Amino acid sequence: MTREQLSLLSLDPAGAATYALAEGAVLLRGFAKSKEARLFADVERVAAHCPFRHLVTPGGFRMSVAMTNCGELGWVSDERGYRYSPVDPQTGFAWPAMPQSFFDLATTAARSAGYPSFVPDACLVNRYAPGARLTLHQDKNERDARAPIVSVSLGLSAVFLFGGAARSDRTARVPLVHGDVVVWGGPSRFFYHGVLALEGGVHPLTGGYRINLTFRKAV
Ligand code: SIN
Ligand code: FE2
């Protein structure tokens, strides 16, 4: 799917465009851009505390995306499965608190997307280097199905795959650029999604990486 093929839902006076991806799912083009410096500084602060690492899937594969977390809970994976943990398994200490800039962005984006009561308690920070990808999956380790997922893209561009309720459903290819925010919930809360292998490049803010923040209400 190209940018032009996305269906435009609204264009506000400042030029911010909202596109519909599915029922309950929207792309807020450039929504995070004006906050980029604060957001990225906070990513670096979180990573200084709990460094990015490549988790192992329950099947024993090392994930190509490097991850860390902030907030009350963090998403982790190992031989025992996927789950949320209140502590970083590498250190046994709590994850860093969710930076105010993250919380404010996630809640204002959710509100714009029609989810005014979203209060995230977990933020998974994904770091993609060239070649890193995320295969089609559902986000289903969270307890509250009413809360949406809010996903923020910073740095290098990527192609986001957004499918349907079944793994075999057709997937839209949505180009995500620096500052874009995708929110999915309600009827599309458990839709399959993924990210194609990142292409190389250099971004003025993030260098050779794409950073993605996904906000969830885990409990
Ligand atoms: C995810 O599904 O957790 C990440 C999506 C993305 O990197 O855009
Ligand atoms: Fe996901």
Side-chain angles (χ1 to χ4, degrees):
M1 181 181 274
T2 66
R3 221 175 258 220
E4 291 66 39
Q5 285 169 306
L6 290 168
S7 61
L8 187 64
L9 270 184
S10 65
L11 200 56
D12 78 11
T18 299
Y19 299 88
L21 298 181
E23 210 189 326
V26 295
L27 161 59
L28 306 170
R29 180 72 76 195
F31 192 90
K33 202 165 185 316
S34 65
K35 306 285 191 290
E36 60 180 12
R38 180 77 259 164
L39 290 170
F40 188 62
D42 284 336
V43 168
E44 293 197 301
R45 224 158 39 80
V46 168
H49 197 97
C50 288
F52 284 105
R53 79 290 306 265
H54 295 271
L55 299 172
V56 175
T57 66
F61 294 101
R62 176 185 185 266
M63 297 183 76
S64 59
V65 178
M67 298 176 173
T68 186
N69 290 280
C70 61
E72 283 160 53
L73 291 153
W75 185 87
V76 295
S77 172
D78 60 20
E79 297 74 8
R80 292 188 290 137
Y82 304 126
R83 64 188 173 280
Y84 281 96
S85 167
V87 297
D88 179 347
Q90 281 191 353
T91 61
F93 293 120
W95 303 102
M98 191 181 295
Q100 193 66 41
S101 67
F102 286 21
F103 184 86
D104 291 347
L105 184 79
T107 50
T108 54
R111 194 174 315 128
S112 297
Y115 301 97
S117 47
F118 181 54
V119 179
D121 56 15
C123 174
L124 171 64
V125 186
N126 292 314
R127 188 184 69 185
Y128 296 74
R133 59 196 276 269
L134 208 54
T135 53
L136 275 186
H137 65 279
Q138 296 166 292
D139 292 355
K140 55 178 186 190
N141 300 124
E142 302 75 27
R143 225 168 277 165
D144 186 351
R146 291 165 306 179
I149 301 287
V150 174
S151 165
V152 179
S153 294
L154 295 173
L156 294 178
S157 305
V159 177
F160 183 59
L161 302 175
F162 197 71
R167 186 184 290 278
S168 57
D169 286 346
R170 185 188 158 273
T171 56
R173 290 175 170 232
V174 183
L176 293 183
V177 304
H178 178 64
D180 286 352
V181 179
V182 181
V183 182
W184 64 96
S188 51
R189 173 62 181 75
F190 296 105
F191 278 15
Y192 278 87
H193 59 278
V195 178
L196 292 184
L198 196 81
E199 288 181 20
V202 178
H203 188 276
L205 187 65
T206 64
Y209 295 110
R210 169 178 187 257
I211 301 290
N212 169 263
L213 312 172
T214 42
F215 295 91
R216 301 101 186 275
K217 179 161 171 23
V219 293

PDB file of all heavy atoms in Angstrom, residues 124 126 128 134 137 139 151 153 160 176 184 193 195 210 212 214 216, ligand 1:
ATOM      1  N   LEU A 124       7.364  -0.832  25.493  1.00  0.00           N
ATOM      2  CA  LEU A 124       8.431  -1.633  24.892  1.00  0.00           C
ATOM      3  C   LEU A 124       9.160  -0.740  23.895  1.00  0.00           C
ATOM      4  O   LEU A 124       8.527  -0.095  23.061  1.00  0.00           O
ATOM      5  CB  LEU A 124       7.821  -2.839  24.171  1.00  0.00           C
ATOM      6  CG  LEU A 124       8.746  -3.691  23.308  1.00  0.00           C
ATOM      7  CD1 LEU A 124       9.822  -4.377  24.158  1.00  0.00           C
ATOM      8  CD2 LEU A 124       7.935  -4.748  22.550  1.00  0.00           C
ATOM      9  N   ASN A 126      11.718  -0.714  20.891  1.00  0.00           N
ATOM     10  CA  ASN A 126      12.334  -1.589  19.885  1.00  0.00           C
ATOM     11  C   ASN A 126      13.381  -0.804  19.111  1.00  0.00           C
ATOM     12  O   ASN A 126      13.120   0.312  18.674  1.00  0.00           O
ATOM     13  CB  ASN A 126      11.276  -2.062  18.880  1.00  0.00           C
ATOM     14  CG  ASN A 126      10.257  -3.004  19.471  1.00  0.00           C
ATOM     15  OD1 ASN A 126      10.617  -3.926  20.180  1.00  0.00           O
ATOM     16  ND2 ASN A 126       8.989  -2.762  19.182  1.00  0.00           N
ATOM     17  N   TYR A 128      15.651  -1.108  15.669  1.00  0.00           N
ATOM     18  CA  TYR A 128      15.899  -1.836  14.425  1.00  0.00           C
ATOM     19  C   TYR A 128      17.170  -1.311  13.784  1.00  0.00           C
ATOM     20  O   TYR A 128      17.275  -0.113  13.504  1.00  0.00           O
ATOM     21  CB  TYR A 128      14.762  -1.607  13.429  1.00  0.00           C
ATOM     22  CG  TYR A 128      13.398  -2.131  13.846  1.00  0.00           C
ATOM     23  CD1 TYR A 128      12.651  -1.486  14.823  1.00  0.00           C
ATOM     24  CD2 TYR A 128      12.855  -3.256  13.227  1.00  0.00           C
ATOM     25  CE1 TYR A 128      11.403  -1.958  15.185  1.00  0.00           C
ATOM     26  CE2 TYR A 128      11.593  -3.731  13.589  1.00  0.00           C
ATOM     27  CZ  TYR A 128      10.883  -3.075  14.570  1.00  0.00           C
ATOM     28  OH  TYR A 128       9.629  -3.540  14.931  1.00  0.00           O
ATOM     29  N   LEU A 134      10.369  -7.797  12.147  1.00  0.00           N
ATOM     30  CA  LEU A 134       9.476  -8.407  13.128  1.00  0.00           C
ATOM     31  C   LEU A 134       8.430  -9.190  12.338  1.00  0.00           C
ATOM     32  O   LEU A 134       7.686  -8.599  11.550  1.00  0.00           O
ATOM     33  CB  LEU A 134       8.830  -7.297  13.961  1.00  0.00           C
ATOM     34  CG  LEU A 134       8.399  -7.603  15.377  1.00  0.00           C
ATOM     35  CD1 LEU A 134       9.526  -8.182  16.212  1.00  0.00           C
ATOM     36  CD2 LEU A 134       7.872  -6.328  16.039  1.00  0.00           C
ATOM     37  N   HIS A 137       2.681 -10.995  13.925  1.00  0.00           N
ATOM     38  CA  HIS A 137       2.295 -11.481  15.246  1.00  0.00           C
ATOM     39  C   HIS A 137       1.104 -10.677  15.750  1.00  0.00           C
ATOM     40  O   HIS A 137       0.766  -9.643  15.189  1.00  0.00           O
ATOM     41  CB  HIS A 137       3.469 -11.320  16.233  1.00  0.00           C
ATOM     42  CG  HIS A 137       3.813  -9.881  16.481  1.00  0.00           C
ATOM     43  ND1 HIS A 137       4.585  -9.138  15.613  1.00  0.00           N
ATOM     44  CD2 HIS A 137       3.438  -9.022  17.466  1.00  0.00           C
ATOM     45  CE1 HIS A 137       4.687  -7.902  16.067  1.00  0.00           C
ATOM     46  NE2 HIS A 137       3.999  -7.797  17.191  1.00  0.00           N
ATOM     47  N   ASP A 139      -0.422  -8.806  19.347  1.00  0.00           N
ATOM     48  CA  ASP A 139      -0.052  -8.389  20.704  1.00  0.00           C
ATOM     49  C   ASP A 139      -1.155  -8.917  21.610  1.00  0.00           C
ATOM     50  O   ASP A 139      -2.252  -8.347  21.639  1.00  0.00           O
ATOM     51  CB  ASP A 139       0.026  -6.860  20.802  1.00  0.00           C
ATOM     52  CG  ASP A 139       1.194  -6.282  20.003  1.00  0.00           C
ATOM     53  OD1 ASP A 139       1.990  -7.066  19.452  1.00  0.00           O
ATOM     54  OD2 ASP A 139       1.290  -5.047  19.925  1.00  0.00           O
ATOM     55  N   SER A 151       1.766   2.971  18.900  1.00  0.00           N
ATOM     56  CA  SER A 151       3.095   2.658  18.377  1.00  0.00           C
ATOM     57  C   SER A 151       3.706   3.884  17.705  1.00  0.00           C
ATOM     58  O   SER A 151       3.123   4.448  16.781  1.00  0.00           O
ATOM     59  CB  SER A 151       2.922   1.498  17.386  1.00  0.00           C
ATOM     60  OG  SER A 151       4.049   1.344  16.588  1.00  0.00           O
ATOM     61  N   SER A 153       6.976   5.796  15.817  1.00  0.00           N
ATOM     62  CA  SER A 153       8.176   5.539  15.001  1.00  0.00           C
ATOM     63  C   SER A 153       9.111   6.739  15.013  1.00  0.00           C
ATOM     64  O   SER A 153       8.683   7.869  14.768  1.00  0.00           O
ATOM     65  CB  SER A 153       7.771   5.276  13.538  1.00  0.00           C
ATOM     66  OG  SER A 153       7.034   4.090  13.433  1.00  0.00           O
ATOM     67  N   PHE A 160       5.535  -1.117   7.597  1.00  0.00           N
ATOM     68  CA  PHE A 160       4.713  -1.780   8.611  1.00  0.00           C
ATOM     69  C   PHE A 160       3.681  -2.630   7.888  1.00  0.00           C
ATOM     70  O   PHE A 160       3.052  -2.168   6.936  1.00  0.00           O
ATOM     71  CB  PHE A 160       4.032  -0.689   9.441  1.00  0.00           C
ATOM     72  CG  PHE A 160       3.183  -1.149  10.586  1.00  0.00           C
ATOM     73  CD1 PHE A 160       3.718  -1.916  11.614  1.00  0.00           C
ATOM     74  CD2 PHE A 160       1.844  -0.768  10.668  1.00  0.00           C
ATOM     75  CE1 PHE A 160       2.930  -2.317  12.695  1.00  0.00           C
ATOM     76  CE2 PHE A 160       1.050  -1.156  11.743  1.00  0.00           C
ATOM     77  CZ  PHE A 160       1.598  -1.928  12.761  1.00  0.00           C
ATOM     78  N   LEU A 176       6.094   3.705   7.297  1.00  0.00           N
ATOM     79  CA  LEU A 176       6.114   4.533   8.507  1.00  0.00           C
ATOM     80  C   LEU A 176       7.390   5.355   8.521  1.00  0.00           C
ATOM     81  O   LEU A 176       8.489   4.807   8.395  1.00  0.00           O
ATOM     82  CB  LEU A 176       6.055   3.659   9.766  1.00  0.00           C
ATOM     83  CG  LEU A 176       4.751   2.903  10.001  1.00  0.00           C
ATOM     84  CD1 LEU A 176       4.814   2.152  11.327  1.00  0.00           C
ATOM     85  CD2 LEU A 176       3.550   3.848   9.976  1.00  0.00           C
ATOM     86  N   TRP A 184      -3.971   1.047  17.296  1.00  0.00           N
ATOM     87  CA  TRP A 184      -4.992   0.058  16.934  1.00  0.00           C
ATOM     88  C   TRP A 184      -5.628  -0.499  18.196  1.00  0.00           C
ATOM     89  O   TRP A 184      -4.962  -0.749  19.190  1.00  0.00           O
ATOM     90  CB  TRP A 184      -4.468  -1.025  15.993  1.00  0.00           C
ATOM     91  CG  TRP A 184      -3.388  -1.937  16.486  1.00  0.00           C
ATOM     92  CD1 TRP A 184      -3.562  -3.179  17.022  1.00  0.00           C
ATOM     93  CD2 TRP A 184      -1.973  -1.702  16.451  1.00  0.00           C
ATOM     94  NE1 TRP A 184      -2.342  -3.731  17.323  1.00  0.00           N
ATOM     95  CE2 TRP A 184      -1.349  -2.843  16.986  1.00  0.00           C
ATOM     96  CE3 TRP A 184      -1.166  -0.636  16.016  1.00  0.00           C
ATOM     97  CZ2 TRP A 184       0.039  -2.955  17.110  1.00  0.00           C
ATOM     98  CZ3 TRP A 184       0.208  -0.737  16.142  1.00  0.00           C
ATOM     99  CH2 TRP A 184       0.793  -1.887  16.679  1.00  0.00           C
ATOM    100  N   HIS A 193       0.274  -8.039  12.784  1.00  0.00           N
ATOM    101  CA  HIS A 193       1.095  -6.944  12.257  1.00  0.00           C
ATOM    102  C   HIS A 193       2.562  -7.344  12.337  1.00  0.00           C
ATOM    103  O   HIS A 193       2.921  -8.288  13.062  1.00  0.00           O
ATOM    104  CB  HIS A 193       0.815  -5.650  13.036  1.00  0.00           C
ATOM    105  CG  HIS A 193       1.080  -5.776  14.494  1.00  0.00           C
ATOM    106  ND1 HIS A 193       0.176  -6.337  15.372  1.00  0.00           N
ATOM    107  CD2 HIS A 193       2.167  -5.462  15.236  1.00  0.00           C
ATOM    108  CE1 HIS A 193       0.690  -6.357  16.576  1.00  0.00           C
ATOM    109  NE2 HIS A 193       1.914  -5.835  16.529  1.00  0.00           N
ATOM    110  N   VAL A 195       6.880  -5.958  10.808  1.00  0.00           N
ATOM    111  CA  VAL A 195       7.721  -4.930  10.177  1.00  0.00           C
ATOM    112  C   VAL A 195       8.695  -5.630   9.231  1.00  0.00           C
ATOM    113  O   VAL A 195       9.371  -6.593   9.635  1.00  0.00           O
ATOM    114  CB  VAL A 195       8.491  -4.120  11.249  1.00  0.00           C
ATOM    115  CG1 VAL A 195       9.405  -3.090  10.603  1.00  0.00           C
ATOM    116  CG2 VAL A 195       7.520  -3.427  12.203  1.00  0.00           C
ATOM    117  N   ARG A 210      16.151   2.592  13.435  1.00  0.00           N
ATOM    118  CA  ARG A 210      14.756   2.974  13.638  1.00  0.00           C
ATOM    119  C   ARG A 210      14.430   2.616  15.083  1.00  0.00           C
ATOM    120  O   ARG A 210      14.768   1.523  15.555  1.00  0.00           O
ATOM    121  CB  ARG A 210      13.828   2.196  12.712  1.00  0.00           C
ATOM    122  CG  ARG A 210      12.352   2.366  13.068  1.00  0.00           C
ATOM    123  CD  ARG A 210      11.448   1.624  12.089  1.00  0.00           C
ATOM    124  NE  ARG A 210      10.063   1.937  12.343  1.00  0.00           N
ATOM    125  CZ  ARG A 210       9.206   1.125  12.980  1.00  0.00           C
ATOM    126  NH1 ARG A 210       9.590  -0.072  13.394  1.00  0.00           N
ATOM    127  NH2 ARG A 210       7.967   1.496  13.188  1.00  0.00           N
ATOM    128  N   ASN A 212      11.246   2.272  17.784  1.00  0.00           N
ATOM    129  CA  ASN A 212       9.791   2.191  17.890  1.00  0.00           C
ATOM    130  C   ASN A 212       9.427   2.049  19.360  1.00  0.00           C
ATOM    131  O   ASN A 212      10.003   1.258  20.089  1.00  0.00           O
ATOM    132  CB  ASN A 212       9.286   0.971  17.096  1.00  0.00           C
ATOM    133  CG  ASN A 212       7.824   0.673  17.386  1.00  0.00           C
ATOM    134  OD1 ASN A 212       7.501  -0.181  18.206  1.00  0.00           O
ATOM    135  ND2 ASN A 212       6.937   1.397  16.755  1.00  0.00           N
ATOM    136  N   THR A 214       6.287   1.058  21.725  1.00  0.00           N
ATOM    137  CA  THR A 214       4.892   0.597  21.752  1.00  0.00           C
ATOM    138  C   THR A 214       4.379   0.638  23.176  1.00  0.00           C
ATOM    139  O   THR A 214       4.958   0.060  24.083  1.00  0.00           O
ATOM    140  CB  THR A 214       4.649  -0.806  21.175  1.00  0.00           C
ATOM    141  OG1 THR A 214       5.658  -1.673  21.597  1.00  0.00           O
ATOM    142  CG2 THR A 214       4.552  -0.808  19.681  1.00  0.00           C
ATOM    143  N   ARG A 216       1.432   0.004  25.913  1.00  0.00           N
ATOM    144  CA  ARG A 216       0.373  -0.963  26.179  1.00  0.00           C
ATOM    145  C   ARG A 216      -0.156  -0.772  27.597  1.00  0.00           C
ATOM    146  O   ARG A 216       0.544  -0.247  28.454  1.00  0.00           O
ATOM    147  CB  ARG A 216       0.934  -2.395  26.124  1.00  0.00           C
ATOM    148  CG  ARG A 216       1.563  -2.815  24.814  1.00  0.00           C
ATOM    149  CD  ARG A 216       3.081  -2.769  24.845  1.00  0.00           C
ATOM    150  NE  ARG A 216       3.661  -3.053  23.529  1.00  0.00           N
ATOM    151  CZ  ARG A 216       3.887  -4.268  23.072  1.00  0.00           C
ATOM    152  NH1 ARG A 216       3.607  -5.303  23.812  1.00  0.00           N
ATOM    153  NH2 ARG A 216       4.387  -4.442  21.880  1.00  0.00           N
TER     154      ARG A 216
HETATM  155  C1  SIN B   1       5.566  -4.154  17.523  1.00  0.00           C
HETATM  156  O1  SIN B   1       4.731  -4.785  16.901  1.00  0.00           O
HETATM  157  O2  SIN B   1       5.765  -4.354  18.743  1.00  0.00           O
HETATM  158  C2  SIN B   1       6.432  -3.108  16.875  1.00  0.00           C
HETATM  159  C3  SIN B   1       5.859  -2.470  15.671  1.00  0.00           C
HETATM  160  C4  SIN B   1       6.827  -1.510  15.036  1.00  0.00           C
HETATM  161  O3  SIN B   1       8.055  -1.587  15.248  1.00  0.00           O
HETATM  162  O4  SIN B   1       6.371  -0.629  14.280  1.00  0.00           O
END
